Amino acid sequence: MKYFSTYLVSSRFLPLIVAPATRGQQPEHGDPDAPLPGHFHQLLRWDTKTFPSQPRDIISLACPCSAPESPLVLEPYDFLFDTGVEAYYNGDWLSVILNMEKALKNKATVRKVKAQCRLSCANQTAFGDHVDGVGVPIPGAGSLEDLGFFQKILKRADCVNSCEMEKLGHPTMHQVTEEIQLEFNKRSPYNYLQVAYFKINKLDKAVAAANTFFQANPDHMEMRQNLEYYRMMAGVQEEDFKDLEARTHMAEFLLGKRYYSDDSFGLAAEHFEVAIDEFFTADKECKALCEGAYNYDGYNYMEYSADLFQTITDHYMQVLNCKQHCAVELALNTGKDKAFEDFLPSHFNYLQFSYYNSEKYEQAIECTKTFLLFHPNDEVMNQNLAYYSAVLGEDKAQTISAREVVKQYIHQSMLEKKLLYFGYEAFGITFVDPDTWTPEDVMPNKLREKQKAEKETAARITEEIGNLMKEIETLVEEKKKDSSDMTKIIATPESVPLLHDGIKVTMTAKLLNGSQRVLLDGVITEDECRELQHLSNAAAQKGDGYRGKLSPHSAGEMFQGVTVLKAVKLGQEGKVPLKSARLFFDLSEKVKKMLESYFGLDTPLYFAYTHLVCRSAIEEKQEDREDLSHPVHVDNCLLISEMNECIKEPPAYTHRDYSAILYLNNDFEGGDFIFTELDAKTVTAEVRPQCGRMVGFGAGKENPHGVRAVTKGQRCAVALWFTLDPAHEEKVWIISVDRGQDYKGIM
């Protein structure tokens, strides 16, 4: 941070801003240390006594078709934006603030009024209602029924038009160019505001504006630099770094995830519940705003000559496409290119586990059943439901239903999808389903077969390109690593602390067909292997580490484990030999040092979790078994094998950086360790466990791995996960170190 010191000598620092060059030259900078004008605080309150020529622009939204008490013309926000930009180049900071703040407020008002008018008019002129003189509510076999339907359309159009005219003025007043729309999408007004607020010494507002702009423009280096400077300035508080455009449903969802990651399940549930309520509010608004003007994209407006029903079809398909896209729109976090996958269902996934940890089984069952509306065949969630029902009581669990609002949401979405797929099949109007939970049979067979063929072709091309790239990468990697790998193998113990007596590098990353991988042999002796296996059978708990689940990964195996802390505690209580507990403790440290050395880490590793585990085949459950002992996964991200992706976000252990598995025996059948590609199918390397053998690897998406089924006997190993972040060091390990010091001298 010392290289910033020259900037801190003077408080006359001006944050950077990239403004449109066509607006003219920047004026000479004024003095940011000038005292606040006496009328500034009235400006912030929009005091009409101080600014008599500027209306407050407060618009009543109570009833969309009633005349307002005092009609006011809402100033177009594009005009206000242009006026603010001009004021910026004239150095008129108060005018910049006034116009930019009003532009933002008026744009939000236009959006709110349009959504509210359309929702209110939909309620007043629902198509399902009967029309006077017509016996049916929808078009039927004759022209009379059609007239009744179109009468409803005309009434809806009149209602919306009257509502918007009364609240906003003539529709053309608030039509803006794509250029202006882009400026607001990029949050450009906040770029100007942060400078203007800084110039009048309102640092809290300058910081909030800068941070709001940066959230949508995370690659904007000048703004990143500005925020770094602001953090070092006197008087700036952490709470000043707000996102003034944060959407409530997303902010609450992210807060819920944060509390969930900290195991604060009660608080997590509160925020997820608010996020769900806000999601449905935002979803209604988003879908209402889809009912706007037709976008003639791909057509010349003057040459568009579709007949009545084709015109209606084109526009309605566009509206439905827009409404389906709301699922993506609401799942996008500002500044991110990719939306959260399965966004709405994931709320109920987080909630069911949060309520389970809070021992609120009724709510856990409700959320589990709601999640299953989206993914009815989800194996884990069905197991959870069975468990929660058993705890609460089957009879009581039967009375609990999934949430009605979600049932309605899915029902409406499914109807929209069916219409869109019909339009796709009948008229060639493309529809790409944004949801992963849509049942396969919703898509017509012809389209399903066509898309399947296209996916297979794309997959084949991708595979061919991938194989070619892999060959190129292998050639490059071989040149880079041959010398360093050879050095590690032949170096003396003094230069490479990894190679203790008897330890050898059996396979490098190259031989294991990947990166950040190594296989070592001779890490511990046969006697030490037997001692640790005895410790596991004496101290381990069934289901340990997996909330008591006896078979957490496979119904064909029993799982048991013990942590370092538990072993040390039992050793001090005389229930297991202290020598065995100490061995467990010491070899964990030994593995850590070997990984640090082999992978050439500049910073130390910290224990994230350490587990002595055994998997035992259940004899009567081995017939026709085809599953894995531990399914293919990645240690620090959520593997989505169908998409060859791994998403680094909770509930994955995102802080894990390196992993190691030290094997204790080989007198069992099956149980080989495998590395795969991200598809979880293509095996790139296979390791047969044996006493003293250790596989170490990076915990990221470069190393998907799993364990083949143990079909006979018991397979034991020490599993270790490490982090480079001391904030995530395993609490129980810290305690174990303290206890280890207590008995170090008596062994």
Side-chain angles (χ1 to χ4, degrees):
M1 296 245 302
K2 62 183 179 181
Y3 57 86
F4 289 135
S5 59
T6 54
Y7 294 95
L8 297 177
V9 172
S10 169
S11 62
R12 296 173 182 266
F13 134 72
L14 175 68
L16 300 168
I17 183 168
V18 179
T22 55
R23 302 284 185 181
Q25 298 300 314
Q26 289 193 36
E28 291 298 315
H29 302 318
D31 186 354
D33 298 325
L36 284 175
H39 57 266
F40 180 74
H41 297 291
Q42 284 82 15
L43 164 69
L44 297 184
R45 294 198 303 270
W46 251 254
D47 193 316
T48 52
K49 293 179 181 177
T50 307
F51 300 96
S53 63
Q54 301 294 342
R56 281 180 173 272
D57 302 322
I58 302 300
I59 291 191
S60 171
L61 302 178
C63 176
C65 296
S66 62
E69 294 179 5
S70 54
L72 295 172
V73 175
L74 191 73
E75 291 179 271
Y77 62 89
D78 58 343
F79 170 76
L80 291 166
F81 177 77
D82 284 339
T83 305
V85 172
E86 186 177 349
Y88 171 82
Y89 285 106
N90 291 330
D92 185 353
W93 310 120
L94 291 179
S95 187
V96 171
I97 293 167
L98 180 66
N99 283 282
M100 289 298 182
E101 291 283 14
K102 284 182 68 179
L104 290 164
K105 183 165 69 73
N106 286 11
K107 181 181 184 296
T109 300
V110 169
R111 177 185 173 90
K112 198 74 178 176
V113 166
K114 287 188 174 184
Q116 206 154 341
C117 284
R118 290 170 192 177
L119 288 170
S120 179
C121 289
N123 292 333
Q124 293 180 25
T125 56
F127 292 134
D129 295 341
H130 287 268
V131 181
D132 293 339
V134 180
V136 291
I138 58 174
S143 59
L144 184 62
E145 288 82 357
D146 288 352
L147 286 172
F149 176 71
F150 283 106
Q151 181 185 14
K152 285 291 185 183
I153 289 180
L154 293 174
K155 284 191 172 184
R156 173 83 64 87
D158 178 56
C159 178
V160 172
N161 187 57
S162 298
C163 177
E164 292 185 3
M165 283 278 286
E166 289 171 359
K167 304 298 180 184
L168 302 175
H170 196 277
T172 57
M173 282 187 64
H174 302 290
Q175 289 177 356
V176 301
T177 63
E178 288 185 9
E179 180 187 7
I180 289 292
Q181 192 60 51
L182 180 61
E183 293 292 345
F184 279 83
N185 290 343
K186 294 191 303 182
R187 300 187 178 181
S188 294
Y190 291 100
N191 198 354
Y192 293 99
L193 279 170
Q194 66 107 9
V195 174
Y197 277 125
F198 177 85
K199 294 294 286 185
I200 61 171
N201 206 29
K202 288 295 293 182
L203 288 183
D204 57 337
K205 291 185 175 293
V207 171
N211 191 61
T212 300
F213 176 82
F214 184 70
Q215 295 305 309
N217 302 274
D219 297 325
H220 197 286
M221 298 311 297
E222 290 86 355
M223 195 61 78
R224 182 189 296 274
Q225 186 181 38
N226 288 353
L227 288 169
E228 289 174 358
Y229 286 136
Y230 280 133
R231 289 186 188 280
M232 295 185 290
M233 296 182 74
V236 174
Q237 306 295 322
E238 188 60 35
E239 55 266 27
D240 295 334
F241 291 83
K242 304 170 185 173
D243 181 0
L244 300 174
E245 293 283 337
R247 297 181 296 176
T248 309
H249 77 278
M250 183 59 72
E252 292 291 336
F253 175 73
L254 296 175
L255 270 175
K257 285 182 64 177
R258 188 183 307 167
Y259 284 118
Y260 183 95
S261 299
D262 292 339
D263 291 347
S264 300
F265 296 109
L267 287 169
E270 289 177 19
H271 287 285
F272 284 130
E273 291 288 10
V274 175
I276 289 169
D277 291 341
E278 294 294 338
F279 174 89
F280 285 117
T281 300
D283 183 64
K284 283 182 181 178
E285 183 176 289
C286 178
K287 289 179 175 177
L289 291 169
C290 287
E291 297 170 358
Y294 183 59
N295 180 3
Y296 288 89
D297 185 28
Y299 293 110
N300 181 320
Y301 173 78
M302 299 301 292
E303 295 175 358
Y304 184 73
S305 57
D307 65 16
L308 170 65
F309 292 104
Q310 184 61 55
T311 302
I312 293 172
T313 298
D314 288 345
H315 198 164
Y316 193 57
M317 289 296 103
Q318 193 175 94
V319 168
L320 288 183
N321 250 309
C322 175
K323 290 186 175 185
Q324 282 285 298
H325 189 71
C326 285
V328 178
E329 171 67 24
L330 297 179
L332 273 171
N333 191 13
T334 304
K336 305 293 183 184
D337 294 327
K338 190 173 180 181
F340 285 107
E341 188 173 345
D342 244 9
F343 183 60
L344 181 57
S346 71
H347 286 70
F348 295 99
N349 191 0
Y350 285 117
L351 272 172
Q352 61 89 21
F353 193 67
S354 297
Y355 281 133
Y356 159 72
N357 278 281
S358 304
E359 297 185 357
K360 295 181 178 179
Y361 293 103
E362 292 184 31
Q363 291 94 325
I365 289 171
E366 180 194 42
C367 292
T368 304
K369 288 185 176 181
T370 303
F371 180 89
L372 288 169
L373 292 175
F374 296 99
H375 300 287
N377 299 318
D378 189 279
E379 185 178 350
V380 173
M381 203 60 73
N382 277 297
Q383 289 175 356
N384 289 355
L385 179 59
Y387 175 75
Y388 301 152
S389 299
V391 173
L392 185 66
E394 297 290 348
D395 292 341
K396 194 170 183 180
Q398 287 288 340
T399 65
I400 301 172
S401 300
R403 297 195 183 182
E404 195 61 37
V405 66
V406 178
K407 291 180 184 178
Q408 294 172 3
Y409 174 87
I410 291 175
H411 180 65
Q412 178 179 337
S413 185
M414 292 289 284
L415 289 175
E416 291 171 355
K417 293 176 195 294
K418 287 176 180 178
L419 285 173
L420 284 162
Y421 277 126
F422 178 80
Y424 193 172
E425 190 174 37
F427 307 112
I429 302 172
T430 304
F431 168 56
V432 179
D433 195 333
D435 296 311
T436 62
W437 51 264
T438 307
E440 193 177 68
D441 58 4
V442 171
M443 183 187 292
N445 284 331
K446 191 187 295 184
L447 282 177
R448 207 181 310 157
E449 290 169 5
K450 180 185 175 186
Q451 287 198 0
K452 183 180 178 183
E454 289 173 351
K455 284 181 180 177
E456 287 174 353
T457 302
R460 189 177 68 252
I461 294 171
T462 301
E463 184 180 3
E464 290 172 358
I465 294 172
N467 290 337
L468 179 61
M469 292 301 295
K470 206 178 292 182
E471 288 178 16
I472 295 170
E473 288 173 3
T474 301
L475 289 171
V476 173
E477 193 174 294
E478 282 177 3
K479 290 190 174 182
K480 286 182 179 179
K481 290 190 175 182
D482 276 350
S483 58
S484 61
D485 284 344
M486 187 59 66
T487 301
K488 288 187 173 80
I489 293 172
I490 64 174
T492 63
E494 290 76 18
S495 62
V496 183
L498 159 73
L499 299 178
H500 299 284
D501 290 341
I503 297 178
K504 66 174 183 177
V505 178
T506 304
M507 298 180 79
T508 62
K510 174 185 164 187
L511 296 174
L512 288 167
N513 300 315
S515 61
Q516 292 281 297
R517 302 174 182 176
V518 66
L519 184 69
L520 306 175
D521 277 315
V523 176
I524 57 175
T525 65
E526 289 281 350
D527 289 340
E528 289 171 333
C529 285
R530 279 191 293 270
E531 188 169 348
L532 288 172
Q533 196 170 358
H534 290 320
L535 175 64
S536 173
N537 289 315
Q541 290 182 324
K542 290 182 173 62
D544 181 61
Y546 291 89
R547 295 178 174 85
K549 293 183 182 178
L550 304 184
S551 303
H553 304 303
S554 169
E557 297 174 23
M558 183 87 74
F559 186 95
Q560 65 186 49
V562 62
T563 63
V564 172
L565 175 63
K566 182 72 180 295
V568 172
K569 186 173 181 292
L570 292 173
Q572 290 183 323
E573 293 170 355
K575 295 179 180 178
V576 299
L578 271 172
K579 182 183 175 186
S580 300
R582 181 70 199 189
L583 174 63
F584 187 11
F585 181 89
D586 287 344
L587 78 87
S588 301
E589 278 286 343
K590 183 178 180 181
V591 169
K592 181 173 79 75
K593 290 176 182 175
M594 285 193 291
L595 288 185
E596 288 171 342
S597 174
Y598 183 83
F599 290 115
L601 303 180
D602 296 327
T603 56
L605 289 173
Y606 300 89
F607 290 93
Y609 193 60
T610 308
H611 213 195
L612 172 55
V613 297
C614 291
R615 307 162 189 266
S616 303
I618 302 173
E619 189 174 344
E620 61 272 19
K621 294 186 178 181
Q622 299 307 310
E623 189 174 346
D624 299 325
R625 187 176 168 193
E626 295 180 354
D627 66 339
L628 295 175
S629 173
H630 198 147
V632 173
H633 60 284
V634 177
D635 286 339
N636 72 6
C637 56
L638 301 172
L639 179 61
I640 305 173
S641 57
E642 297 81 4
M643 299 177 66
N644 283 342
E645 288 185 6
C646 202
I647 300 174
K648 198 167 182 178
E649 66 179 41
Y653 299 103
T654 56
H655 56 275
R656 292 178 176 177
D657 295 299
Y658 286 89
S659 307
I661 303 166
L662 174 61
Y663 301 107
L664 304 181
N665 65 319
N666 65 350
D667 54 341
F668 54 89
E669 293 181 7
D672 286 2
F673 177 93
I674 55 172
F675 284 114
T676 75
E677 299 285 5
L678 283 170
D679 63 6
K681 296 176 183 176
T682 308
V683 176
T684 57
E686 191 160 347
V687 174
R688 177 62 191 168
Q690 66 181 42
C691 169
R693 173 165 286 177
M694 187 192 92
V695 58
F697 50 93
K701 67 179 183 179
E702 69 275 11
N703 286 316
H705 58 279
V707 180
R708 295 198 187 280
V710 178
T711 55
K712 187 177 181 180
Q714 184 186 63
R715 175 191 189 272
C716 294
V718 178
L720 307 100
W721 293 272
F722 304 93
T723 177
L724 293 167
D725 184 357
H728 290 286
E729 184 174 16
E730 188 181 17
K731 300 271 190 304
V732 296
W733 182 263
I734 298 170
I735 298 170
S736 297
V737 170
D738 295 337
R739 294 190 177 189
Q741 297 303 320
D742 291 341
Y743 64 78
K744 188 172 182 180
I746 63 173
M747 288 190 165

